[in-house]
Amino acid sequence: MNLTVNGEPRAFPPLADLTALIAELGLDGRKVAIERNLEIVPRSAYGKTRLLDGDRIEIVHFIGGG
Amino acid sequence: MDGTQQVEDAWSVAGRTFRSRLIVGTGKYKDYAQNAAAAEAAGAEIVTVALRRVNLSDPSQPMLVDYVKPDRFTFLPNTAGCFTGEDAVRTLRLAREAGGWDLVKLEVLSNTPHLLPDMEETLRALKLLIADGFQVMVYCSDDPVYAKKLEDAGAAAIMPAAAPIGSGRGIQNFLNLGLIIEQSSVPVLVDAGVGTASDAVLAMEMGCDAVLMNTAIAEAREPIRMAVAMKHAVIAGREAWLAGRMAKRSYGDPSSPMGGLI
């Protein structure tokens, strides 16, 4: 399936939900926040949030800043 | 205080109480380990953090939260890089989801080399954030008129720049900063522009509630040592403010009695 993740169009194997995407990317879901098509997805809903072809996903985390 | 009993000198913002009056940034350090050590050395309870895209090409790279731990420090997410109110709201909503807190630092900069705040957009962003349930500490210019507008709009703290971010020039407008401190009923923090310990002392001696700094520590030759210096500077300035300085005189006044001379 095709998703745009953090601004980059990428091809993925079929992924059922956000939990599967996080695993596919090798990320720790407890340390990130996610937007799907400009809507924030609560962490508790990652496993219930189905992915569709063409979804735009933003995955962010805290970094150093002033 | 008579020296035998130390009354705890805490301060509060948005209903949360802190003992340390030094807030430190987490940018520009050599690595996150040095960053965490500096925050510890500074005695900080609050650290500012930024929100950015995860690097998908290397998910194993170090993460801030593994070093500067959210159970040790209160994270204050900022809106650095946002130039509109909408960008700020989007960023801080994500930060709230990433960390689950509503106390945030708003900074809406002008897209200029001096990085001074865009106050018109800052005020607009503040109103959007308050409507969204955030408690907002606002980075601002040292303009008492805009500072009052921010407070009237519901800012949790007013945080005027001493000087441009990262400039290390110290307090440039003592008169304006004094007016802001005098007129404000929410905490006032000097944020940005501190260069060395004496700058922090001066801010606290004027009656600021706290100081926020990043570059002054991170870009010192020895950041951990400068963090210690800043910790003492903020305490010294605060204690001097509480103690109340002596009156200035135009002439000398002997410290030893003039009576009983041989």
Side-chain angles (χ1 to χ4, degrees):
Chain A
M1 68 190 304
N2 294 302
L3 302 172
T4 299
V5 183
N6 287 358
E8 288 181 37
R10 287 175 61 163
F12 290 92
L15 298 168
D17 52 34
L18 271 183
T19 301
L21 175 63
I22 292 165
E24 175 73 17
L25 293 169
L27 300 174
D28 181 344
R30 294 166 303 175
K31 296 175 184 173
V32 300
I34 301 182
E35 259 183 8
R36 174 176 170 263
N37 299 329
L38 296 177
E39 289 214 7
I40 290 179
V41 182
R43 195 164 291 146
S44 57
Y46 289 173
K48 293 179 286 196
T49 303
R50 297 188 56 194
L51 291 170
L52 299 173
D53 221 40
D55 276 354
R56 300 176 61 83
I57 309 292
E58 288 286 341
I59 306 176
V60 299
H61 66 152
F62 288 128
I63 66 155
Chain B
M1 253 190 272
D2 62 2
T4 59
Q5 186 188 358
Q6 288 284 320
V7 176
E8 182 157 57
D9 176 37
W11 67 290
S12 295
V13 59
R16 297 162 172 86
T17 300
F18 301 95
R19 291 184 308 281
S20 170
R21 293 174 181 269
L22 176 55
I23 299 176
V24 297
T26 57
K28 299 181 176 174
Y29 286 92
K30 184 182 64 159
D31 52 40
Y32 283 142
Q34 185 190 58
N35 190 335
E40 286 289 350
E45 294 173 296
I46 306 175
V47 297
T48 59
V49 296
L51 193 85
R52 292 291 182 274
R53 285 172 165 169
V54 168
N55 182 346
L56 297 173
S57 58
D58 182 11
S60 65
Q61 69 177 219
M63 294 180 89
L64 174 75
V65 292
D66 293 330
Y67 293 85
V68 183
K69 295 185 186 296
D71 57 2
R72 169 69 185 80
F73 299 98
T74 296
F75 275 24
L76 186 65
N78 70 24
T79 59
C82 296
F83 295 104
T84 69
E86 285 73 16
D87 287 347
V89 170
R90 184 183 178 201
T91 296
L92 291 177
R93 279 180 176 168
L94 277 163
R96 183 162 56 186
E97 184 55 34
W101 34 75
D102 57 11
L103 184 64
V104 296
K105 169 181 167 176
L106 174 64
E107 58 176 291
V108 181
L109 308 185
S110 56
N111 201 354
T112 58
H114 54 59
L115 299 179
L116 288 170
D118 176 341
M119 289 312 303
E120 183 182 15
E121 195 62 23
T122 296
L123 180 58
R124 199 175 75 80
L126 172 64
K127 291 173 180 171
L128 293 174
L129 287 167
I130 288 172
D132 212 55
F134 287 99
Q135 307 270 5
V136 191
M137 301 173 73
V138 188
Y139 174 63
C140 58
S141 62
D142 59 9
D143 172 0
V145 179
Y146 252 117
K148 185 71 169 67
K149 290 185 186 194
L150 297 173
E151 183 174 351
D152 289 347
I158 306 293
M159 306 203 293
I165 293 170
S167 69
R169 302 297 293 248
I171 298 167
Q172 294 297 299
N173 195 330
F174 286 91
L175 179 64
N176 277 14
L177 181 58
L179 291 171
I180 292 171
I181 292 167
E182 186 183 291
Q183 77 183 11
S184 301
S185 52
V186 294
V188 175
L189 292 80
V190 156
D191 178 358
V194 166
T196 189
S198 53
D199 298 330
V201 174
L202 290 173
M204 295 307 296
E205 281 180 346
M206 291 182 70
C208 282
D209 292 280
V211 178
L212 197 165
M213 64 179 74
N214 190 151
T215 312
I217 296 174
E219 289 189 0
R221 191 176 63 245
E222 294 185 44
I224 312 301
R225 181 165 245 166
M226 186 58 88
V228 173
M230 291 301 186
K231 172 184 171 177
H232 290 300
V234 167
I235 292 170
R238 175 66 184 174
E239 289 296 311
W241 161 254
L242 291 173
R245 61 151 298 145
M246 61 164 282
K248 292 181 181 177
R249 298 188 178 91
S250 297
Y251 300 96
D253 185 53
S255 297
S256 304
M258 293 307 287
L261 288 169
I262 54 171

